[in-house]
Amino acid sequence: MKFVAITACPTGIAHTYMAAESLEQTAQANGDEIVVETQGSAGSEPLSAEDIASADAVIFAADLAVQGRDRFAGKPIVEAPVKAAINDAAGLFERAKAAAREPVAPAAAPELTSKVGANDKAGTKIRQWLMTGVSYLIPFVAAGGLLIALGFALGGYKISDAPAVTEHFDAGSVAGWAALMFQIGSAAFKFLVPVLAGFIAFAMADRPAIAPGFVGGAIAVTVGAGFLGGLVAGLLAGGVVLWLKKVRVPKAMRGIMPVVVYPLLGSIVVGVLMYVVVGKPMAAATSGLTNWLNSLSGASALLLGALLGLMMAFDMGGPVNKAAYTFAVGGLTTGATGSLQIMAAVMAAGMVPPLALALASTVRKKLFTEAERENGRAAWLLGASFITEGAIPFAAADPFRVIPSIMLGSAVTGSLSMAFGATLRAPHGGIFVLPLIGSPLLFLVALIAGTAVAAGSVIALKQVRFRAAERSAAVSGQPVNA
């Protein structure tokens, strides 16, 4: 028999090509023919119309949206995670042969492009939508974060105050290149929330939802809604476009709907909701949190440190995180010892989330996807540089396990830092400003303790899901895909 296949993993690196090779080798051993299109970082020749037309069945071994899925309308399709093609290619071929023997009713191109079945539970659908957004977010986090870290490494913590390189750039000095790296990284970071929102919407409702998603994400940044606002914007944009697609229109207008009408109306609706409904409450919440923190300045140092730690980890660069950070930076102008202790606690707590997830994804690799493991390698440097956003890909993919865990670890670090009396005169920089930290060894003890607590909590919570997946796999005979 003849088959065509598409393989794709979130990062488009290892598993995409391992799955293709496994399918090709199994087909050869079975005496079958297969042509594979690898939708990965290195790319491949797209499947020809002739190959698709002559195929008996189609195999999708993918962990995210298959590009150009409409090419296979009317063909028997078997779908599985990319790991299934690596671990059990023979089983996939058996499923494909069984599907080829069943009659296939002609059908229109599927409305959804994420790997979500019509009968999947709501939680599964939402997780796949978020994973698609995360898969496109990771390159921006890695590139932007590492460039910012390089800027701090070359130019010190004051590099964030350097003039714009468009006004002044000294190519002959290290400081000039440090400022350039920092500003390029900062530019990349400005795309984080729009990219996340845009591709969550894309996963829900295909290309017409990209523009509303990006617009909603950009507005989330403008109004101070941050990462969580981006999640809301992406889900809103996808939901609005899905609803618009259900509206029947005259045949003559169908051609312009996905190109003009859906993006236009979707952007209007999402923009209005984000500016009018989400923006004001978020701004009010941020202001209220700042005022509340100011009122707690005289409270127990342990309690204040724990509270600041919880806030730094809650939304990883969003409005709650920024409220705690702004509160700490504002106190630096006074020079008071208490204010310097607050700054140290805030920076230490903000370093915990990426460091903890880097540690967890290193010591218990099987609990994390390949995309998360690769992001974990970059998270070491992001965390060391006080770039809390390095934890966003992990939190977006598994918020109910990751966010409580990192909040606990950051609370421990913030509380210990205040108890130890560590101080900090710099508003940023991570380990690169260690000489400016008072009681640096105790600061590191607080950081390591919180990182260990958060990593242990993530591993414990994910282990519960992994064991459930193992039990399910034992019953179904499918490989574990926790």
Side-chain angles (χ1 to χ4, degrees):
M1 299 181 73
K2 183 171 182 178
F3 303 93
V4 291
I6 288 181
T7 61
C9 65
T11 55
I13 303 177
H15 283 63
T16 297
Y17 302 99
M18 292 167 62
E21 183 178 359
S22 177
L23 289 171
E24 289 166 349
Q25 290 177 349
T26 304
Q28 184 178 8
N30 292 345
D32 297 318
E33 295 180 44
I34 191 168
V35 182
V36 183
E37 176 183 324
T38 51
Q39 295 185 353
S41 57
S44 72
E45 282 292 323
L47 293 168
S48 68
E50 293 78 12
D51 285 331
I52 295 173
S54 61
D56 296 299
V58 181
I59 298 173
F60 290 160
D63 288 334
L64 70 165
V66 171
Q67 300 171 23
R69 185 178 177 129
D70 56 330
R71 295 173 289 168
F72 306 97
K75 286 286 181 181
I77 296 176
V78 170
E79 299 189 62
V82 70
K83 286 185 179 180
I86 299 171
N87 300 329
D88 187 27
L92 275 184
F93 277 103
E94 289 301 319
R95 290 173 57 194
K97 290 177 180 180
R101 290 190 287 267
E102 297 292 329
V104 179
E111 196 168 79
L112 294 181
T113 59
S114 61
K115 217 173 71 63
V116 179
N119 298 321
D120 283 346
K121 296 180 180 179
T124 302
K125 290 182 179 181
I126 292 173
R127 186 171 186 274
Q128 286 291 352
W129 295 335
L130 296 180
M131 278 301 298
T132 301
V134 169
S135 70
Y136 288 97
L137 172 70
I138 287 173
F140 289 85
V141 173
L146 293 173
L147 283 168
I148 290 173
L150 181 60
F152 281 123
L154 293 176
Y157 75 93
K158 289 186 177 180
I159 202 63
S160 58
D161 299 326
V165 293
T166 53
E167 300 173 1
H168 176 74
F169 173 58
D170 184 3
S173 71
V174 173
W177 285 101
L180 181 61
M181 295 300 104
F182 178 84
Q183 291 175 31
I184 293 173
S186 297
F189 257 41
K190 291 177 182 177
F191 288 98
L192 293 188
V193 175
V195 166
L196 178 66
F199 285 101
I200 288 174
F202 166 73
M204 294 176 67
D206 211 347
R207 285 175 291 180
I210 291 180
F214 268 78
V215 169
I219 294 173
V221 175
T222 301
V223 301
F227 159 63
L228 295 178
L231 288 178
V232 172
L235 294 171
L236 275 176
V240 167
V241 174
L242 280 177
W243 178 79
L244 289 172
K245 284 185 172 184
K246 295 179 180 180
V247 178
R248 292 188 177 184
V249 297
K251 189 174 182 180
M253 292 184 60
R254 291 177 187 172
I256 67 168
M257 296 300 288
V259 180
V260 178
V261 179
Y262 295 151
L264 173 62
L265 294 181
S267 297
I268 291 173
V269 173
V270 173
V272 169
L273 289 174
M274 291 300 295
Y275 269 126
V276 178
V277 178
V278 176
K280 290 182 179 179
M282 282 288 186
T286 301
S287 176
L289 284 169
T290 302
N291 294 333
W292 186 33
L293 284 174
N294 281 316
S295 70
L296 288 176
S297 296
S300 163
L302 292 176
L303 175 62
L304 181 58
L307 178 60
L308 291 170
L310 290 171
M311 295 175 66
M312 289 301 294
F314 175 68
D315 56 358
M316 296 150 283
V320 177
N321 171 287
K322 287 295 185 287
Y325 180 71
T326 302
F327 171 71
V329 172
L332 288 179
T333 58
T334 67
T337 300
S339 297
L340 300 182
Q341 290 176 348
I342 289 172
M343 188 70 248
V346 163
M347 190 171 80
M351 294 168 69
V352 166
L355 288 175
L357 291 161
L359 176 62
S361 62
T362 299
V363 301
R364 292 302 305 274
K365 294 181 179 180
K366 68 178 182 179
L367 299 178
F368 296 86
T369 66
E370 179 64 25
E372 289 173 326
R373 291 196 292 271
E374 291 185 10
N375 196 67
R377 298 182 190 108
W380 286 112
L381 185 54
L382 299 179
S385 304
F386 182 36
I387 299 173
T388 316
E389 289 89 341
I392 287 178
F394 297 91
D398 193 5
F400 298 111
R401 293 176 179 83
V402 170
I403 293 178
S405 300
I406 59 177
M407 287 177 67
L408 176 61
S410 291
V412 169
T413 290
S415 183
L416 288 176
S417 178
M418 292 292 288
F420 293 155
T423 60
L424 175 62
R425 296 181 177 275
H428 213 301
I431 62 170
F432 300 108
V433 296
L434 201 61
L436 301 176
I437 297 175
S439 304
L441 292 180
L442 292 175
F443 176 90
L444 291 176
V445 168
L447 177 62
I448 292 170
T451 299
V453 168
S457 299
V458 169
I459 290 172
L461 291 176
K462 282 184 173 287
Q463 186 67 41
V464 173
R465 185 182 71 181
F466 186 80
R467 287 175 179 168
E470 283 184 323
R471 290 193 294 269
S472 177
V475 173
S476 64
Q478 295 294 321
V480 176
N481 186 29

